[in-house]
Amino acid sequence: MALNGTLNPGKSASQTLALNMKLIAHHELGGFGGIGEGMGMSKTADGRRIMWLGHECAPKNFTAVDVTDPRNLKMIVQTELPHNKMRSNSLEVCGDLMVVAHQIRGEFGLTPAGFDLWDISKPDTPRKISRFDASGPHSLGVHCVWCVDGEYVHMSSGAPDFEPVNPKDHQFYRIIDIRNPSKPVEAGRWWYPGQRKGDAEPPVPRNPTFDSGYRPHNINVYPQRPDRAYVAYIDGGVVILDISDKSRPREISRFNYSPPYNGFTHTVMPLFSKNLLIVTDECTNDNGKDWPKLAWVFDARNEKNLVPISTLPLPPVEVFGKRGGRFGAHNLHENYPGPLSWRSDEIVVGTFFNGGVRAYDVTNPYQPKEIAYFVPGAPPLSPKGAIQMNDVFIDDRGLVFCGDRFTGGLYVLEMTV
């Protein structure tokens, strides 16, 4: 482990912590380094590799960085949002097609709210193909998108015809057919029973301590099981849906552990060869207020009876909880099925805000072992006085790309395990 400087909880930390990961490049993105949960890679006809990044907040929409030479990063495109009350927190890249989510920040009914489709075959001059509108009187647009086949977008979204019982529950699962990218159309939808006004089921119960709402965050669909959607439903926990008929998604199972835990189920990632699920809860409060926010290992041999069997070990909350900003689980490298993505059912890599990026060996799922991590020092002008590592993508070369939520920008790492 390399340790530079001393830990000073609650103040701006300058140290870097590392084990079996080393920094090979860093780019601040022209001073607009706040990266959301959107990272995807494309490859041009002449062999260039381009990393596409969605931004956590205005004024920037998305940024493209040439990462062909990972030690010589070149920003080639940075686009603007139409106004400062929206963000492009999530994006997906599938070949030469990119999906960029647009979510309104805090004010229902504003536009644009939905997603845009882009032709990125010429990354220096990306071309917008179409916009799918998801605005409405009870909608903040689209938070998270997933698209790995170039045919369907799976997303957490509002809609003009959807009114929740509670305004915190304003998004639900929507499937959008983009086979004609100039005219995206809805193919199907599903929401948590009792979430919508007029449902026959009783209203969903609220978490008495941390009420984050009932709505999906990540929705993962893989070619190994194209008939299954693995849905993280925030305070609704883990949901597995049968989407063999996309017009009528059907519930297979639900597992909710909130309360007594503090909710915000964020990602459900299957490890198919091991019959496991890796499930993360997003930390959403600073200074350890909503601890524990964990990364769980579930036995999924019987998808109708999920069983949690372990958690990924984290450093002490007594230290990291007061280090500045958030500390706890968040995003995973989600084993994207595309040709430019690294995949493993043995090693899980995730981001943990001020805990940096961390890798775990889950060969023995009952005793996961931490095998690598990288925690950068505090980026300049960080409002939290610490790194807030937000998302991670690992390419087929084994290079680890991760982004800071606020000012740090893009980090490129080599993992030596």
Side-chain angles (χ1 to χ4, degrees):
M1 181 182 73
L3 173 61
N4 301 313
T6 58
L7 188 62
N8 193 358
K11 297 184 178 180
S12 179
S14 61
Q15 75 281 0
T16 295
L17 307 171
L19 172 70
N20 293 328
M21 284 187 186
K22 66 178 182 179
L23 180 70
I24 63 171
H26 177 218
H27 201 296
E28 293 183 344
L29 308 181
F32 296 95
I35 296 175
E37 301 176 88
M39 305 183 74
M41 186 176 288
S42 66
K43 194 172 185 178
T44 63
D46 60 2
R48 287 189 298 158
R49 290 170 176 261
I50 310 299
M51 175 60 71
W52 300 88
L53 306 165
H55 283 268
E56 166 65 22
C57 61
K60 300 303 178 184
N61 185 9
F62 60 81
T63 296
V65 179
D66 188 325
V67 298
T68 311
D69 177 357
R71 291 174 171 80
N72 184 23
L73 306 179
K74 300 174 183 177
M75 187 171 72
I76 60 172
V77 169
Q78 192 169 70
T79 61
E80 304 285 325
L81 289 166
H83 58 79
N84 65 4
K85 289 188 176 180
M86 64 180 295
R87 62 175 177 164
S88 50
N89 179 68
S90 175
L91 61 77
E92 283 288 315
V93 173
C94 187
D96 290 332
L97 185 70
M98 181 168 70
V99 187
V100 181
H102 287 152
Q103 180 169 356
I104 301 300
R105 298 180 70 91
E107 187 173 342
F108 291 103
L110 295 184
T111 60
F115 68 77
D116 289 346
L117 292 177
W118 292 80
D119 178 344
I120 55 173
S121 58
K122 299 178 179 178
D124 304 88
T125 55
R127 179 180 64 87
K128 186 158 68 174
I129 303 169
S130 62
R131 170 170 292 163
F132 182 85
D133 179 45
S135 63
H138 306 283
S139 175
L140 297 179
V142 176
H143 184 69
C144 193
V145 291
W146 175 268
C147 180
V148 296
D149 59 6
E151 297 186 353
Y152 294 93
V153 174
H154 304 267
M155 65 184 190
S156 173
S157 175
D161 61 347
F162 188 89
E163 183 177 359
V165 175
N166 187 303
K168 291 184 178 181
D169 308 339
H170 54 86
Q171 289 167 333
F172 59 102
Y173 175 28
R174 301 181 72 184
I175 306 171
I176 310 302
D177 184 340
I178 60 167
R179 287 176 291 182
N180 180 353
S182 64
K183 294 183 179 179
V185 295
E186 182 175 298
R189 56 173 61 184
W190 185 91
W191 61 88
Y192 210 93
Q195 177 184 348
R196 182 179 182 175
K197 280 191 176 180
D199 281 356
E201 300 83 0
V204 294
R206 316 310 299 188
N207 186 309
T209 307
F210 296 98
D211 184 356
S212 297
Y214 282 74
R215 57 189 190 277
H217 198 283
N218 284 23
I219 302 151
N220 292 24
V221 180
Y222 292 89
Q224 295 96 319
R225 288 301 306 266
D227 60 338
R228 291 291 184 269
Y230 298 90
V231 186
Y233 221 87
I234 302 189
D235 284 0
V238 178
V239 179
I240 300 178
L241 299 175
D242 182 340
I243 58 167
S244 52
D245 179 356
K246 291 182 174 60
S247 67
R248 300 184 65 182
R250 181 175 61 85
E251 182 181 314
I252 298 293
S253 63
R254 274 186 266 158
F255 188 101
N256 194 2
Y257 43 93
S258 166
Y261 286 86
N262 292 327
F264 220 107
T265 306
H266 182 282
T267 300
V268 179
M269 180 180 73
L271 303 181
F272 290 102
S273 70
K274 300 175 75 68
N275 289 316
L276 298 174
L277 300 177
I278 306 299
V279 177
T280 64
D281 308 329
E282 181 181 355
C283 171
T284 60
N285 286 251
D286 292 351
N287 301 318
K289 182 180 177 182
D290 60 345
W291 182 263
K293 287 301 179 75
L294 304 173
W296 306 77
V297 182
F298 277 71
D299 184 322
R301 286 176 291 177
N302 181 344
E303 64 180 351
K304 294 185 178 181
N305 187 31
L306 305 176
V307 180
I309 58 175
S310 63
T311 62
L312 305 185
L314 285 172
V317 67
E318 294 80 9
V319 175
F320 278 82
K322 304 299 182 183
R323 198 167 188 255
R326 303 180 185 186
F327 171 60
H330 193 206
N331 276 298
L332 300 170
H333 171 72
E334 294 167 294
N335 281 345
Y336 299 98
L340 301 177
S341 174
W342 175 85
R343 289 177 291 279
S344 175
D345 278 9
E346 308 292 333
I347 297 175
V348 174
V349 181
T351 52
F352 296 85
F353 294 113
N354 72 25
V357 58
R358 295 176 177 269
Y360 298 89
D361 184 336
V362 294
T363 304
N364 179 352
Y366 300 100
Q367 294 181 316
K369 296 179 180 179
E370 185 172 64
I371 56 174
Y373 54 80
F374 187 83
V375 186
L381 303 179
S382 171
K384 301 298 182 179
I387 190 71
Q388 294 285 272
M389 204 63 90
N390 213 31
D391 200 4
V392 58
F393 177 91
I394 307 174
D395 75 3
D396 57 314
R397 300 172 292 182
L399 295 171
V400 181
F401 296 84
C402 42
D404 178 50
R405 184 179 177 86
F406 294 121
T407 62
L410 179 66
Y411 297 78
V412 186
L413 311 172
E414 283 185 340
M415 185 164 58
T416 58
V417 291

